[in-house]
Amino acid sequence: MPDTTPNLELPFIMPAQAQKHVTHNEAIELLDMIVQLTVESTGATTPPASANEGQAWVLGASPSGGWAGQAGRIAAWRGGGWLFVTPREGWMAWVKSDSELQVFTGSIWATLAGTAA
């Protein structure tokens, strides 16, 4: 049996696992981040000086600081630290900076719809 679900890679609670609540809480954190995904911007490379709980960014090609080594991933400020998730083809996000709904094609975030300026 795999350790995670096939689509969202949520962790399974394994038989005889100690501290099952940790695995369950990790899955809830991921769901809270991914479902109805809203990001501040795409292509971000520098973490903000301060972030609010739940804020997220799609990272660009060469992120630095606390985001170093996480290119192309989604970074969300959760519980006082960064949670990184790799987007999957078909994921959609509302991008606040562009007022657009975007979809991940597997290689780029493409605009589906925007609001009038």
Side-chain angles (χ1 to χ4, degrees), residues 64-86:
S64 62
W67 292 348
Q70 303 294 332
R73 300 185 85 194
I74 300 166
W77 186 253
R78 309 293 293 211
W82 293 108
L83 173 62
F84 298 99
V85 176
T86 302

Side-chain angles (χ1 to χ4, degrees), residues 93-117:
W94 179 255
V95 181
K96 289 182 178 182
S97 64
D98 299 327
S99 296
E100 293 179 344
L101 181 61
Q102 295 185 11
V103 63
F104 186 64
T105 66
S107 59
I108 64 165
W109 287 88
T111 300
L112 283 179
T115 59

